Amino acid sequence: MTQTENNVKLGLALSGGGFRSAFFHVGVLARLAEADILRQVDVISSVSGGSIIAAYYYLKVRKLLESSSGADAPGREAYIRLVAEIEADFLAAVQKNMLMRTFLDPVKNARMRAADFSSTERLGELFTKYFFLPLMGESGKDKKNRIFLKDIAVSTSSEDTAADTRVPFLILNCTCLNTGHLWQFTSRSVGEKRTKNEAGHDIAFLENFQIDDDGLTRGQREILDNVTLGQAVAASCCVPGIFEPLKVRNLYKNGDRPLTVRLVDGGLVDNQGLTSLFAEECTHVICSDASDILQFEQHPSIQFLDGAMRANDILMDRIRSKSLNELFDYGRKRYLLFDLGDHDTRDHIFPEDSADLVHALTRIRTDLDSFTDREADTLMYYGYQFSKKVIEKCEFELIQDKPQATGEWRFLKIKDLFLTDSARRRELLYHLDVGSRQMFKVFLFKKAMPYLILLPFPLVVTLILLYLVFRMSPLAFWGILVFSGGLLIYTQNQKILKLMDNVTFLRKFKRRMLKIVVTLRLPEPFSYVLALASWIQLTVFDPLFLRYGRIRKMSGKPGFDRNDR
């Protein structure tokens, strides 16, 4: 891409950090809309959780620009309305719980065991269904409800828009495990990008293919034409060890053999999304950085897992520092940084207990599960107030006048509901502390209902076992129990699975059996167990978790939900 006619090329970077970062970014977008700066963005670069909201925002802008042009080009108020819609609709989609829905379908669970499908592919399908398809309409999808990456470009050209309204370009960043290099998905190209922050200088870069390149082979063109937006976003969010890497097969060759590229979270190379903006030669950069901040530890754990995680945090902090130092070279007039590590700004947002509230927000999980109203609104409120204070004292030359606040954002109600009263503030703080847990959050609210719901399960299991013991012979009972346990161990044992993958006839046997199982829609027993657990979480405990954090439909005494008892 080239610079615009007035030699200004504005890039917007949205960092990783799961849905936690996404909600922080929504608050930042709200303030940038008020500052009338969003219309000037030329390039959007995103990583991990930032890629979800970046793609969502981009599709909203795409729809806005394509529905108006010339004299009717959208202005400041249109972008404010756009972000206001995101504020409500994005939260509704998040509360569908992408993490649990990934394993809800037993047939899909069986396919994940096969070689041609993965949890990341499934996550991409869910992103498409719940986030992106509602924004595209019927014309933006195929018969299988897929949105192809090559089809998301804004059809309106810069000549059809007002002079101060740009047509943005979206870059979704990943990491290639094969090479350790930065991988980019865009509507124009797919492949690795050579940057200043190169990993593995002795490792050659994989080609960055232009999707419309006439020199592509038939096979390469078919692969690139079928890359979906959901796949690209899911790959950018693919945390190693939690989700399986997204596989891109047969696009490249290693010598005479086809190469399978494995893509994971872009945060391994750059968790701020800045590197791609530097490569695009942006003259001005805005960075919303909601990534984890390295904290001092008085007594670092010596346990293996804790030590490994601490080492990873240190490495990520070093990568972050390198990117930010390059940003600082731009000079204060050419960059804006909304950085959770800025204590001078963040510690003056909340009226009291500021340090505790900010600490709780930075510790909220970075998962892709449901977020309550309280969690989401507090994160958006924080992102909005943080960016507001930064803009008030900034020297960024693209903001001529200090923008006025609209005061109409829903998340601003969090202040009157929780922040002005000490008791309610402590309640919110406890809720945010619970939000830092990865599992069993609903059981930490000191309420009886989750335990009462859970109580029948062990009773039912006990009754079934007693029934089997008395109705069956001991030999048959223990035989079935041992067989079932052995089958479960066999089908889930990673060493056995690895052995099957390394032995040719066993690998072929496994794939044929999985193909038959999927075709007949007869998933293995564990697929049903996983689907049942996901169903219970989604239909019983997840609604209860959201109910305990509901604030958007308040009734009765101000600040309380009558159902929140």
Side-chain angles (χ1 to χ4, degrees):
M1 294 180 64
T2 59
Q3 293 183 12
T4 53
E5 293 182 0
N6 58 358
N7 293 322
V8 171
K9 186 176 182 181
L10 176 60
L12 173 63
L14 301 178
S15 76
F19 283 143
R20 182 192 69 187
S21 67
F23 284 118
F24 178 87
H25 296 327
V26 172
V28 171
L29 291 174
R31 188 53 182 163
L32 293 178
E34 290 179 340
D36 201 21
I37 195 71
L38 288 181
R39 291 194 297 137
Q40 303 178 47
V41 172
D42 295 286
V43 187
I44 304 171
S45 173
S46 61
V47 185
S48 192
S51 290
I52 307 171
I53 188 62
Y56 194 88
Y57 168 77
Y58 172 83
L59 292 180
K60 293 282 287 185
V61 173
R62 176 181 182 269
K63 184 177 181 180
L64 178 67
L65 294 178
E66 290 183 350
S67 63
S68 57
S69 61
D72 297 326
R76 174 178 178 268
E77 295 303 320
Y79 278 80
I80 291 176
R81 287 194 300 271
L82 182 148
V83 179
E85 293 171 1
I86 292 176
E87 177 193 3
D89 298 340
F90 188 78
L91 174 58
V94 168
Q95 292 183 341
K96 298 293 184 180
N97 199 328
M98 299 300 104
L99 185 60
M100 286 295 101
R101 288 185 184 275
T102 302
F103 308 102
L104 183 61
D105 188 333
V107 176
K108 297 286 187 180
N109 290 344
R111 284 192 62 197
M112 291 179 204
R113 311 276 300 167
D116 65 335
F117 198 66
S118 67
S119 56
T120 302
E121 294 272 5
R122 177 60 177 152
L123 187 63
E125 290 180 348
L126 294 172
F127 283 152
T128 301
K129 178 179 180 179
Y130 291 103
F131 288 89
F132 306 140
L133 275 181
L135 304 179
M136 293 290 291
E138 293 297 323
S139 61
K141 63 180 182 180
D142 71 345
K143 294 181 180 180
K144 295 183 179 180
N145 287 331
R146 296 176 298 182
I147 301 173
F148 295 116
L149 194 64
K150 61 183 178 65
D151 295 333
I152 68 169
V154 181
S155 61
T156 301
S157 65
S158 58
E159 289 77 13
D160 295 328
T161 59
D164 55 351
T165 300
R166 310 288 174 76
V167 177
F169 178 67
L170 178 64
I171 302 175
L172 302 169
N173 297 286
C174 306
T175 300
C176 177
L177 284 182
N178 306 69
T179 63
H181 296 149
L182 174 70
W183 177 285
Q184 294 180 343
F185 284 107
T186 78
S187 61
R188 302 176 184 176
S189 64
V190 171
E192 290 190 344
K193 184 70 173 181
R194 185 181 295 272
T195 67
K196 294 182 180 179
N197 299 328
E198 296 177 3
H201 296 285
D202 295 331
I203 302 176
F205 279 76
L206 299 176
E207 184 176 353
N208 190 294
F209 289 107
Q210 297 294 313
I211 295 178
D212 60 354
D213 187 356
D214 293 334
L216 295 173
T217 65
R218 181 177 179 181
Q220 289 174 328
R221 183 174 301 281
E222 183 178 357
I223 293 169
L224 295 176
D225 283 346
N226 284 281
V227 175
T228 68
L229 176 62
Q231 288 174 326
V233 173
S236 184
C237 298
C238 178
V239 179
I242 298 179
F243 291 98
E244 183 181 346
L246 181 75
K247 297 177 183 178
V248 180
R249 296 181 176 87
N250 303 321
L251 186 59
Y252 303 93
K253 285 188 177 181
N254 184 18
D256 295 330
R257 301 181 61 183
L259 176 67
T260 297
V261 175
R262 289 173 168 81
L263 304 175
V264 295
D265 195 319
L268 298 182
V269 175
D270 169 28
N271 200 40
Q272 283 61 52
L274 289 169
T275 301
S276 290
L277 297 184
F278 300 150
E280 288 291 326
E281 298 181 350
C282 290
T283 62
H284 297 72
V285 173
I286 299 174
C287 177
S288 178
D289 182 12
S291 59
D292 288 328
I293 305 299
L294 188 68
Q295 302 290 337
F296 172 79
E297 288 194 7
Q298 182 71 30
H299 301 289
S301 174
I302 60 174
Q303 298 298 321
F304 173 76
L305 182 59
D306 292 337
M309 293 179 65
R310 179 63 175 175
N312 180 72
D313 291 342
I314 293 172
L315 290 173
M316 293 296 293
D317 187 69
R318 297 294 295 174
I319 296 172
R320 176 178 179 272
S321 297
K322 189 172 184 179
S323 294
L324 291 183
N325 285 336
E326 191 169 349
L327 177 67
F328 297 152
D329 291 339
Y330 272 63
R332 291 186 176 275
K333 293 185 177 182
R334 296 205 169 199
Y335 79 84
L336 266 179
L337 174 63
F338 309 119
D339 171 20
L340 296 188
D342 182 1
H343 290 270
D344 292 338
T345 301
R346 74 182 197 178
D347 289 342
H348 297 87
I349 291 176
F350 299 105
E352 294 182 40
D353 305 323
S354 175
D356 292 337
L357 283 166
V358 170
H359 182 65
L361 285 174
T362 58
R363 290 177 62 246
I364 287 181
R365 66 202 178 283
T366 56
D367 286 348
L368 299 178
D369 62 351
S370 293
F371 273 58
T372 66
D373 294 356
R374 297 183 189 186
E375 292 174 312
D377 282 5
T378 307
L379 283 164
M380 288 188 282
Y381 175 86
Y382 183 47
Y384 175 83
Q385 295 291 2
F386 191 99
S387 53
K388 180 179 178 181
K389 288 185 176 297
V390 170
I391 290 175
E392 285 175 355
K393 60 182 181 180
C394 76
E395 302 175 20
F396 195 58
E397 60 188 8
L398 298 186
I399 297 179
Q400 301 298 330
D401 301 315
K402 301 305 178 185
Q404 297 297 316
T406 65
E408 297 178 356
W409 305 105
R410 298 185 192 182
F411 56 72
L412 293 179
K413 295 179 181 179
I414 199 80
K415 180 178 180 179
D416 294 332
L417 292 174
F418 291 99
L419 301 180
T420 57
D421 178 78
S422 59
R424 292 291 280 168
R425 195 164 55 248
R426 288 193 298 271
E427 179 186 339
L428 177 63
L429 181 59
Y430 183 79
H431 190 94
L432 297 177
D433 284 335
V434 170
S436 68
R437 309 298 179 91
Q438 303 294 325
M439 301 175 64
F440 309 116
K441 294 183 289 294
V442 72
F443 294 96
L444 302 177
F445 285 117
K446 301 178 181 179
K447 297 181 183 291
M449 185 59 71
Y451 296 95
L452 292 175
I453 293 174
L454 192 64
L455 184 60
F457 287 95
L459 294 177
V460 170
V461 172
T462 302
L463 291 174
I464 292 175
L465 289 176
L466 289 174
Y467 175 81
L468 293 176
V469 167
F470 289 108
R471 299 288 295 182
M472 298 176 63
S473 67
L475 182 61
F477 172 76
W478 287 107
I480 292 174
L481 192 63
V482 171
F483 176 78
S484 301
L487 181 64
L488 182 63
I489 292 173
Y490 175 78
T491 57
Q492 305 308 313
N493 188 286
Q494 294 300 315
K495 290 184 179 179
I496 295 176
L497 294 175
K498 186 175 181 180
L499 174 63
M500 294 183 71
D501 286 334
N502 290 334
V503 179
T504 303
F505 80 92
L506 289 177
R507 182 172 64 250
K508 291 181 178 179
F509 173 77
K510 173 188 170 185
R511 290 179 178 176
R512 287 174 182 173
M513 290 302 297
L514 284 170
K515 186 175 181 180
I516 293 173
V517 162
V518 173
T519 302
L520 297 178
R521 301 182 68 85
L522 296 172
E524 58 186 0
F526 186 73
S527 297
Y528 282 109
V529 173
L530 192 58
L532 177 61
S534 300
W535 180 83
I536 292 173
Q537 172 66 26
L538 285 169
T539 58
V540 180
F541 295 111
D542 205 49
L544 201 58
F545 173 65
L546 296 176
R547 174 182 169 185
Y548 291 153
R550 186 182 302 144
I551 61 175
R552 296 215 171 192
K553 293 182 180 179
M554 309 294 283
S555 59
K557 184 178 179 179
F560 289 90
D561 189 321
R562 284 178 177 170
N563 294 321
D564 191 6
R565 300 292 184 185

